[in-house]
Amino acid sequence: MVPPSLLTEMRGAAMSLTAAASGLVVFLLSVSVVQGVHDWGVSYSPTEICAAKGSTVEIRCNFTYPSTWRGSVNTVEKTFWFTKWKDGVHVDLTTVSEYAGRVEDLCENNTCTLRIRNLTESDSAEYKFKFETNQGGKYSGSPGVTLSVSNLQVTSGTNRLYCQSSCHQYSYPSYIWYKNGQSIQGETADYTSNPNNADSYSCALKGYEDFPSPPVYAPKPPSVSVSPSAEIEEGSSVTLTCSSDANPAASYTWYKKNGNQKRPPLTTEPQLVFSSIQSSDSGQYFCKAENELGKITSKVNSVDVKYPPKLPSVSVSPSAEIEEGSSVTLTCSSDANPAANYTWYKEDEDSPKASGQIFTITDFRAEHSGSYSCGAQNKLGRSNSTFHLSVVAGSSTMIVNIIRMTLGVLMLIPVFLLGLWTRKKKALRSTTEACEPVEIELDSIPEYENVSHTAAQTEDRE
């Protein structure tokens, strides 16, 4: 290919010749064209390069130019590599900030090499070489060299691993496979395997063995962190975080243990969050980490939620009516974490009656009757319950009272009998007086006139 600038100059030279020398003009033009085609050139080998990220690559070319041009000695004054235009001008890579300190332009005997160290994926581009001579000649070869910087990655399928590279669109490189750091197979982009949790796999481009892909492996045993790490109080915000070293990254599932029963997952996020944790959330938790190469569960982690005492309950033994002189046992119970301490009080008394969960009154008397309270307390708070105790007459008291009543009754009997005798005596006297004879003359009674006579006659007869 003849540079445009060279063609323009040749056309100008031809137009300056006279018509009489037209045959010579044709000859010179022909010579100039032939000289431009064969003496100006840039060739690249290879034209496609696939390199590993982080490695160093060398892009080479050979260039040619005529030793004389425009009737003068033609020498190379400037060479450089470029990828882009800026303001219509090719930009020397050694002046581009993205390549600062990473590129070298090495030329010797018409062979030039562009060396790029510590390759990044953004270095993927088409690179071209350009040279300029003292006679104003400029030339660049096109097309240039296509560089593809590959960030190798191993992906997995069913019993198969794949080495993914961005180089496939330009070429089909050879690969090397590694298992636990040891070479196991080469050439192909896939590898058939049945990985277990202990194995790791990586791949590399042939020729770039020192720059393998990141290894892939099943999740390592997960660790669980609890935040805040201090004591957990009811109502606070608590976060449990599950993490596992795995490549590709693991997905997570949280569970709460419930004996041997299988519980549904709580969340499929790495974090299990309690915005306001409750006492019912206390328990044992574990997480599962999983990727395409395997899965594993963490150790069980206990969550112990602390809370102040709930409202205490009080039991009385015996539960029947309290008899005077009997023994009474009071028991106070409250749900609390940490365990509560107990104190017993009686109304209108400042000093506590007792401390401890059990309070016993061995000889219950009437003065023991009244309202009592049980206070349950731990470092997080306090709660009270109030109740009333009253006494009923005991069996011994009832016996004494019965004896007293009996004696009273016995003492009243003589008085009662004496009164009864007096009343009977009076009644008898009244009866006797009423029964003395009274003479009544029947003749004075008309109805009995005949009767009286008859009786007299009868009496005479006798």
Side-chain angles (χ1 to χ4, degrees):
M1 179 178 178
V2 180
S5 59
L6 182 59
L7 288 174
T8 301
E9 292 174 2
M10 289 189 292
R11 290 190 185 101
M15 292 176 66
S16 66
L17 297 176
T18 63
S22 60
L24 181 59
V25 170
V26 173
F27 172 76
L28 290 175
L29 182 60
S30 300
V31 171
S32 298
V33 172
V34 172
Q35 184 183 31
V37 171
H38 293 287
D39 291 346
W40 297 85
V42 175
S43 61
Y44 305 93
S45 180
T47 58
E48 293 181 352
I49 298 176
C50 181
K53 180 181 178 181
S55 66
T56 299
V57 69
E58 291 185 348
I59 303 173
R60 294 184 178 87
C61 76
N62 292 303
F63 66 94
T64 59
Y65 63 96
S67 58
T68 60
W69 192 51
R70 294 179 179 176
S72 301
V73 176
N74 196 29
T75 59
V76 175
E77 286 191 339
K78 183 178 181 180
T79 64
F80 63 93
W81 292 84
F82 67 92
T83 61
K84 301 176 181 178
W85 295 75
K86 185 176 181 181
D87 299 328
V89 179
H90 294 124
V91 181
D92 185 350
L93 283 180
T94 60
T95 65
V96 178
S97 59
E98 291 89 338
Y99 293 89
R102 297 194 297 125
V103 297
E104 293 179 88
D105 185 357
L106 309 172
C107 287
E108 184 178 2
N109 298 327
N110 291 19
T111 299
C112 285
T113 301
L114 174 66
R115 181 179 295 159
I116 309 175
R117 295 186 299 272
N118 193 22
L119 288 170
T120 66
E121 292 179 87
S122 62
D123 293 334
S124 298
E126 182 183 18
Y127 292 82
K128 296 180 181 180
F129 175 80
K130 186 173 185 177
F131 68 93
E132 300 177 359
T133 68
N134 62 331
Q135 297 300 319
K138 301 176 182 180
Y139 196 87
S140 62
S142 184
V145 177
T146 301
L147 171 65
S148 176
V149 179
S150 179
N151 185 13
L152 295 178
Q153 182 180 4
V154 177
T155 59
S156 61
T158 305
N159 297 329
R160 188 173 292 272
L161 300 175
Y162 301 92
C163 189
Q164 288 191 334
S165 167
S166 58
C167 296
H168 287 306
Q169 55 183 317
Y170 302 115
S171 60
Y172 297 91
S174 296
Y175 298 88
I176 297 176
W177 282 94
Y178 300 92
K179 177 180 180 180
N180 301 326
Q182 301 297 318
S183 176
I184 52 174
Q185 181 180 325
E187 305 301 326
T188 61
D190 60 326
Y191 172 70
T192 302
S193 69
N194 186 18
N196 59 53
N197 287 3
D199 293 332
S200 65
Y201 296 85
S202 60
C203 66
L205 294 171
K206 196 169 185 179
Y208 293 91
E209 289 83 355
D210 293 336
F211 300 91
S213 69
V216 295
Y217 46 89
K220 306 301 181 184
S223 62
V224 174
S225 61
V226 181
S227 178
S229 57
E231 193 173 79
I232 299 174
E233 294 185 12
E234 189 174 43
S236 64
S237 176
V238 178
T239 300
L240 278 66
T241 302
C242 185
S243 59
S244 172
D245 180 18
N247 190 23
S251 59
Y252 300 95
T253 308
W254 278 98
Y255 299 89
K256 184 178 183 181
K257 192 174 182 182
N258 184 24
N260 295 324
Q261 297 181 5
K262 185 177 181 181
R263 277 200 159 189
L266 301 174
T267 181
T268 55
E269 298 295 329
Q271 293 184 326
L272 176 61
V273 179
F274 298 92
S275 57
S276 178
I277 198 165
Q278 301 300 309
S279 58
S280 58
D281 294 322
S282 293
Q284 295 180 314
Y285 294 82
F286 65 94
C287 64
K288 180 179 68 175
E290 182 176 9
N291 66 10
E292 295 90 338
L293 302 177
K295 58 186 176 181
I296 190 170
T297 58
S298 70
K299 294 181 179 178
V300 173
N301 294 264
S302 295
V303 173
D304 187 20
V305 180
K306 307 295 185 180
Y307 50 94
K310 309 296 183 184
L311 186 66
S313 63
V314 178
S315 63
V316 181
S317 179
S319 58
E321 292 181 336
I322 303 173
E323 295 181 357
E324 189 174 15
S326 65
S327 177
V328 179
T329 299
L330 308 175
T331 304
C332 189
S333 299
S334 174
D335 181 18
N337 189 14
N341 296 316
Y342 299 93
T343 307
W344 299 87
Y345 294 89
K346 187 181 180 186
E347 64 176 344
D348 301 329
E349 293 185 14
D350 296 331
S351 300
K353 300 295 292 182
S355 61
Q357 191 171 6
I358 299 175
F359 173 34
T360 302
I361 304 174
T362 55
D363 185 12
F364 200 94
R365 298 293 177 182
E367 60 269 20
H368 293 139
S369 296
S371 294
Y372 290 80
S373 66
C374 165
Q377 182 175 6
N378 63 14
K379 63 182 181 180
L380 300 177
R382 178 184 178 88
S383 184
N384 294 313
S385 281
T386 302
F387 56 98
H388 188 81
L389 294 180
S390 59
V391 67
V392 298
S395 58
S396 58
T397 304
M398 290 179 65
I399 292 173
V400 171
N401 289 339
I402 290 172
I403 292 174
R404 288 175 180 173
M405 290 177 63
T406 303
L407 290 176
V409 170
L410 292 176
M411 291 177 66
L412 291 174
I413 290 175
V415 177
F416 175 76
L417 294 176
L418 179 61
L420 184 61
W421 178 78
T422 302
R423 290 180 62 187
K424 287 184 175 181
K425 184 176 180 181
K426 289 180 178 180
L428 183 60
R429 182 179 301 117
S430 300
T431 304
T432 305
E433 291 176 355
C435 293
E436 289 181 355
V438 177
E439 292 184 359
I440 299 175
E441 294 182 2
L442 295 178
D443 292 340
S444 62
I445 300 173
E447 292 84 353
Y448 291 93
E449 288 181 357
N450 297 329
V451 175
S452 298
H453 290 293
T454 305
Q457 292 174 4
T458 304
E459 204 175 297
D460 291 338
R461 290 190 194 107
E462 291 178 353

